[in-house]
Amino acid sequence: MVLQRFSWPYGGRHASFCGSFTGWTEYPMALVGTEFQVVFDLPPGVYQYRFLVDGAWRCDESKPFMRDEYGLISNEVLVENNAQPVVQPEPSPIRGINMDEGTILTTMPPEPSSQNPGMQIAVFRHGISGILLHNTIYDVVPLSSKLAILDTQLPVKQAFKIMHDEGLALVPLWDDHQGTITGMLTASDFVLMLRKLQRNIRALGNEELEMHPISAWKEAKLQFYGGPDGAAMQRRPLIHVKDSDNLVDVALSIMRNEISSVPIFKSLPDSSGMPLLNLATLQGILKFLCLKLQEQPEGYSLLHNQLLNIPIGTWSPHTGRTSNRLLRTLRLSSPLNSCLDLLLQDRVSSIPIIDDNGSLRDVYSLSDIMALAKNDVYARIELEQVTVQNALDVQYQVQGRRQCHTCLQTSTLLEVLEKLCIPGVRRVVVIEQSTRFVEGIISLRDIFTFLLG
């Protein structure tokens, strides 16, 4: 056995280490003077390793490197009986005494099995992290695309009609007075507006909507939908990302703020005066990621694993699987208001709709509410008397019947990713094949929660 030191001398606040001999499990490095170090007791041989510095995977360009068996760029070291120390951590190490002012001394554990599922997931995430960290959201944005932007002085009624006609669930808002993008108009706004009309809160007639601007609606919403103590909702700054941000940061911004899309602002202003470049979505990032995975399919065997072997998604208790969220379903006869309550309170984008036998019939999404904007349907109905079946019928009349994207627990992760790359698909419902009972749901947010660990 040979004591081998690995070091990262290029700065950072936190550094971890992983390598082929650790099963790519991460281990913390100790700061010794101005560099991070860790020591392992290794048998002679050739090993690959990488550093995780402040959340970013890195290699030491001054040391030998190669593309490892998983298609990743890693440093490489030859450990000989007369070797000097270099860099790496490992799985379940046995800690010994401290040496060299705090360098961690570890003893090499048994070689992990290549079939270990935890190791396979760690390797998969390691590769995904490398792709997402080394590409920016600018790489994802299409070279040419149509982007709708509404002026805050546009009447609310006209704005929602445009959103329906263009098939938009959300749209950026331009404030001419401030000369910039100041917010987003979403399907949630439409739901809240409907409720305001139905409940006659400071009665706003349908005629007034012809003149009521978006900016006034946004201000009214802060007052009407405050907390239980009567306090108004707090206005928060516009959440946005820069076109130079890496894909991990953009995905985390969307997930942590529980939004479906985030505006991308240009890093450098141009002559147009428009700071907005485009909108970033989890689906856009996933499509880009899948293209990268197709270039190196040999390094990602986890893609061919069945869902029943992967900790991902939201599941019904009868499956015996645990999940962080409660799986919600509603019947066709359920009041639409109940459906909207769940969508807003649970901050989810859709709910599976089942029949009286418990079989999947469709999925009702928050964006489906926009169908009520066509021909002012919302002005001629009593929202409290509308069922989910009624709402779906309106949706079918406006846009026709649609495919409900499903999969099985025996479907592979790759099959699910391919479905989620289809335009407009934001979740896949897991069903039992013969009965179509709902067993779970896998959303884009579930996918990125799993990918980013």
Side-chain angles (χ1 to χ4, degrees):
M1 303 294 283
V2 179
L3 286 179
Q4 183 77 21
R5 177 182 293 119
F6 299 92
S7 62
W8 177 261
Y10 305 112
R13 291 174 297 175
H14 306 284
S16 299
F17 175 92
C18 68
S20 56
F21 59 85
T22 74
W24 300 104
T25 298
E26 298 166 30
Y27 289 89
M29 301 181 73
L31 184 62
V32 180
T34 59
E35 68 179 28
F36 291 96
Q37 295 185 5
V38 66
V39 171
F40 290 92
D41 194 10
L42 303 175
V46 177
Y47 302 99
Q48 293 78 44
Y49 60 90
R50 293 187 85 184
F51 305 91
L52 182 63
V53 182
D54 295 338
W57 289 107
R58 300 186 182 278
C59 290
D60 186 343
E61 296 181 0
S62 69
K63 298 291 195 300
F65 59 88
M66 51 83 71
R67 186 179 296 275
D68 65 19
E69 59 185 308
Y70 300 103
L72 306 174
I73 301 298
S74 303
N75 285 122
E76 186 173 63
V77 62
L78 171 62
V79 177
E80 300 179 292
N81 285 327
N82 60 350
Q84 298 293 319
V86 196
V87 170
Q88 237 167 334
E90 60 178 42
S92 326
I94 304 170
R95 291 204 177 181
I97 60 173
N98 289 336
M99 300 175 61
D100 298 327
E101 302 180 8
T103 299
I104 299 174
L105 175 66
T106 56
T107 301
M108 182 62 189
E111 181 72 16
S113 166
S114 61
Q115 301 302 315
N116 182 285
M119 172 184 169
Q120 189 182 26
I121 291 175
V123 170
F124 181 73
R125 285 174 171 164
H126 174 76
I128 297 298
S129 175
I131 295 173
L132 297 179
L133 284 168
H134 290 91
N135 289 278
T136 69
I137 192 61
Y138 186 82
D139 301 318
V140 175
V141 175
L143 295 178
S144 61
S145 61
K146 177 182 176 182
L147 180 62
I149 300 175
L150 300 182
D151 192 289
T152 55
Q153 294 308 304
L154 190 71
V156 171
K157 182 176 179 179
Q158 187 178 348
F160 287 130
K161 183 179 185 302
I162 292 173
M163 290 177 66
H164 169 265
D165 292 346
E166 297 296 326
L168 303 172
L170 76 172
V171 63
L173 298 175
W174 171 266
D175 188 314
D176 203 43
H177 178 70
Q178 300 185 43
T180 189
I181 300 295
T182 57
M184 304 284 282
L185 189 66
T186 69
S188 296
D189 285 309
F190 187 59
V191 172
L192 296 177
M193 186 205 71
L194 288 182
R195 291 186 160 180
K196 178 176 179 295
L197 287 173
Q198 298 283 324
R199 296 172 184 174
N200 282 324
I201 302 177
R202 288 179 58 186
L204 178 64
N206 184 49
E207 303 77 19
E208 279 189 76
L209 289 179
E210 299 283 359
M211 301 299 296
H212 201 64
I214 297 172
S215 57
W217 157 248
K218 286 290 189 179
E219 289 297 325
K221 185 177 73 169
L222 296 177
Q223 299 297 323
F224 295 147
Y225 295 100
D229 57 355
M233 294 173 65
Q234 296 298 309
R235 181 185 290 104
R236 63 179 183 180
L238 175 66
I239 300 164
H240 67 279
V241 297
K242 294 289 185 64
D243 56 12
S244 57
D245 289 347
N246 68 62
L247 297 181
V248 168
D249 288 343
V250 175
L252 289 176
S253 178
I254 293 173
M255 295 168 64
R256 287 171 177 166
N257 290 288
E258 296 184 308
I259 53 181
S260 61
S261 179
V262 63
I264 307 169
F265 279 16
K266 302 169 186 175
S267 297
L268 299 173
D270 56 27
S271 58
S272 71
M274 170 58 70
L276 182 66
L277 178 65
N278 212 313
L279 299 177
T281 64
L282 293 180
Q283 186 178 67
I285 298 174
L286 181 63
K287 286 181 180 179
F288 179 84
L289 176 62
C290 287
L291 289 175
K292 291 294 183 181
L293 294 178
Q294 289 174 11
E295 296 173 4
Q296 299 175 350
E298 72 283 352
Y300 302 94
S301 59
L302 188 74
L303 289 171
H304 304 289
N305 283 19
Q306 296 178 340
L307 293 179
L308 52 83
N309 297 319
I310 302 176
I312 190 172
T314 302
W315 298 92
S316 171
H318 81 265
T319 63
R321 301 185 60 165
T322 59
S323 50
N324 293 328
R325 286 181 182 269
L326 177 65
L327 178 64
R328 303 278 198 176
T329 61
L330 286 175
R331 296 186 181 275
L332 289 166
S333 57
S334 301
L336 179 60
N337 259 338
S338 298
C339 184
L340 298 177
D341 284 339
L342 291 179
L343 289 169
L344 294 175
Q345 292 169 10
D346 289 5
R347 301 187 71 84
V348 295
S349 62
S350 60
I351 296 178
I353 305 302
I354 59 177
D355 60 20
D356 291 339
N357 296 318
S359 300
L360 179 68
R361 291 291 301 274
D362 207 330
V363 173
Y364 195 84
S365 303
L366 193 58
S367 58
D368 289 337
I369 196 71
M370 299 306 301
L372 299 183
K374 183 175 176 63
N375 299 324
D376 300 339
V377 171
Y378 64 86
R380 302 192 301 274
I381 62 172
E382 292 291 336
L383 195 60
E384 293 166 348
Q385 298 177 10
V386 176
T387 65
V388 172
Q389 177 72 74
N390 299 147
L392 286 173
D393 288 341
V394 172
Q395 175 72 22
Y396 300 152
Q397 291 170 12
V398 172
Q399 296 182 342
R401 290 191 173 269
R402 66 232 174 143
Q403 179 181 359
C404 187
H405 294 273
T406 62
C407 68
L408 309 176
Q409 287 204 59
T410 53
S411 299
T412 65
L413 178 59
L414 179 60
E415 290 170 338
V416 173
L417 295 186
E418 289 173 343
K419 288 179 181 288
L420 288 172
C421 285
I422 298 172
V425 178
R426 295 184 57 194
R427 85 288 304 163
V428 176
V429 182
V430 187
I431 60 171
E432 198 282 322
Q433 188 169 18
S434 60
T435 63
R436 292 184 63 81
F437 288 166
V438 175
E439 296 189 322
I441 190 167
I442 299 177
S443 66
L444 284 164
R445 190 177 303 275
D446 292 326
I447 291 293
F448 279 88
T449 298
F450 171 73
L451 294 180
L452 301 178

